[in-house]
Amino acid sequence: MYQKILCVVWHLALLKRNKTNDNPPCEITSLEELFCHNFTTGITAIGKYIFEITALPRQNMWLFSQKKQPATQTSNIEIQEKPIAEIAELKTDKIKYQKGENIALSWSIIRPELLDKIEIITKVDEKTPVGQPIAFQFQNGTFDDPKFKEQCKQQRKQIKCAISLPATSVGNFIYELKAYSRNVSDRLDTKTIGNKIEVLAKAFKIIFFKINGSEQPNQVLNEGEKATLAWKVEGEGIQVQLLPYGDKLPQQGEKTLNVIKNFPSPITLEVTDTSGKRQLQQKS
């Protein structure tokens, strides 16, 4: 909806050049025509406005006072926000990575010539950031740092950029991009990747599981002997157990058992990661 603006009434004498007004907004030509330009209204707020101008005949012009009526004209004006650099797209090449891989993050910016800097923020949820934001300065629509200049390409009044971020922690993460513009200080554009990005632990592996130094799956043990179990497992975020005993064990170690009449068979080395994936190795 437009707001109607009531303008100040000016007498023509005040619009002429005089001692107190060296640069009046209006002037009268030799043909008695009134021209006004750069007339300051004082309106700066964003919105839609109707400006109305009315020309009134002078009161002492008795000859025309009965014939001439005021002349009015209006103009619709909309004051918009200054344009800023806007994020058109933010994405990764996939939604699951293994720890140690590089996360390929890419984005598109509209009006890149206005871009001052970007910040990449990693979060574990909508509110909780992880570590410090990664910031990059921009100049003339590309990375200010020469090491990254080749990471951006100009395409139809946009820039498309791509960088790699190391996946250093296991978990589910949200990536957010903030774009700061040069021409405004009170507004910025923000975009978040729609899906959480999952970083998985490296695949674990049972290096060995031995009884009395042998990796043979089936062995004969005599009552009264000792059975020394040894194992080594590689991986992160895993749980190691010996079944049927069930106690949690380090990823590498030994355990000596007395062989009795009801000695359990089989004995199982069970490894489980945080996602519930299991790997078993048995000795009997």
Side-chain angles (χ1 to χ4, degrees):
M1 181 179 294
Y2 286 86
Q3 303 178 57
K4 191 169 183 179
I5 303 301
L6 299 177
C7 297
V8 178
V9 177
W10 287 80
H11 192 281
L12 287 182
L14 299 177
L15 302 179
K16 295 181 180 180
R17 185 182 298 275
N18 54 46
K19 291 182 179 180
T20 60
N21 193 4
D22 292 332
N23 296 294
C26 300
E27 59 181 355
I28 301 175
T29 68
S30 59
L31 298 177
E32 292 297 311
E33 294 176 327
L34 178 66
F35 285 94
C36 297
H37 56 88
N38 295 330
F39 189 92
T40 302
T41 65
I43 304 299
T44 59
I46 295 168
K48 295 181 178 181
Y49 302 91
I50 299 174
F51 288 88
E52 180 181 291
I53 185 171
T54 300
L56 300 170
R58 290 181 180 176
Q59 295 296 324
N60 59 355
M61 296 181 66
W62 62 271
L63 183 62
F64 299 102
S65 61
Q66 299 301 319
K67 298 179 181 180
K68 293 288 185 180
Q69 298 297 320
T72 300
Q73 188 169 329
T74 61
S75 179
N76 294 342
I77 302 295
E78 181 177 359
I79 300 178
Q80 299 178 334
E81 288 185 318
K82 288 183 178 180
I84 61 173
E86 295 183 21
I87 306 166
E89 184 181 46
L90 175 65
K91 63 181 182 178
T92 56
D93 61 336
K94 54 185 180 179
I95 61 172
K96 288 188 177 183
Y97 297 85
Q98 280 198 337
K99 184 178 177 180
E101 287 186 323
N102 284 327
I103 298 172
L105 186 69
S106 61
W107 63 85
S108 300
I109 301 283
I110 302 171
R111 292 184 287 275
E113 69 279 0
L114 301 178
L115 187 61
D116 181 42
K117 73 172 181 178
I118 63 164
E119 285 184 348
I120 301 169
I121 301 169
T122 305
K123 300 179 178 180
V124 293
D125 54 38
E126 296 294 335
K127 296 181 180 179
T128 310
V130 178
Q132 296 298 315
I134 302 172
F136 295 98
Q137 291 293 136
F138 274 70
Q139 187 73 29
N140 299 322
T142 190
F143 284 102
D144 193 36
D145 190 332
K147 293 186 297 185
F148 296 99
K149 282 188 180 293
E150 297 302 317
Q151 306 300 113
C152 290
K153 304 294 182 184
Q154 191 85 23
Q155 293 183 4
R156 295 183 180 179
K157 298 182 180 180
Q158 296 185 19
I159 55 165
K160 293 183 178 291
C161 303
I163 63 169
S164 295
L165 301 176
T168 57
S169 300
V170 175
N172 294 302
F173 302 98
I174 297 171
Y175 287 94
E176 180 182 75
L177 184 69
K178 292 184 177 181
Y180 295 82
S181 297
R182 295 182 179 278
N183 59 328
V184 297
S185 59
D186 59 341
R187 286 189 297 135
L188 59 96
D189 197 33
T190 302
K191 199 172 188 68
T192 302
I193 292 178
N195 297 317
K196 284 192 173 184
I197 306 303
E198 185 177 8
V199 178
L200 304 170
K202 291 181 179 179
F204 60 84
K205 181 180 180 182
I206 297 176
I207 304 302
F208 62 77
F209 179 35
K210 301 176 182 180
I211 296 183
N212 294 335
S214 173
E215 293 191 62
Q216 292 295 324
N218 300 304
Q219 298 185 43
V220 178
L221 300 174
N222 298 315
E223 187 177 352
E225 293 181 342
K226 291 187 180 296
T228 299
L229 310 179
W231 63 90
K232 181 179 180 180
V233 180
E234 286 185 351
E236 292 182 297
I238 56 176
Q239 179 178 286
V240 181
Q241 289 181 301
L242 274 177
L243 303 178
Y245 301 101
D247 47 338
K248 295 180 181 179
L249 302 171
Q251 291 183 213
Q252 182 173 357
E254 289 186 357
K255 186 179 183 71
T256 300
L257 304 171
N258 293 318
V259 179
I260 59 176
K261 185 176 180 180
N262 295 323
F263 192 74
S265 179
I267 297 176
T268 303
L269 181 70
E270 180 184 76
V271 184
T272 309
D273 68 7
T274 53
S275 67
K277 183 179 178 181
R278 294 192 306 165
Q279 186 176 345
L280 306 176
Q281 198 172 118
Q282 293 181 333
K283 302 295 182 185
S284 58

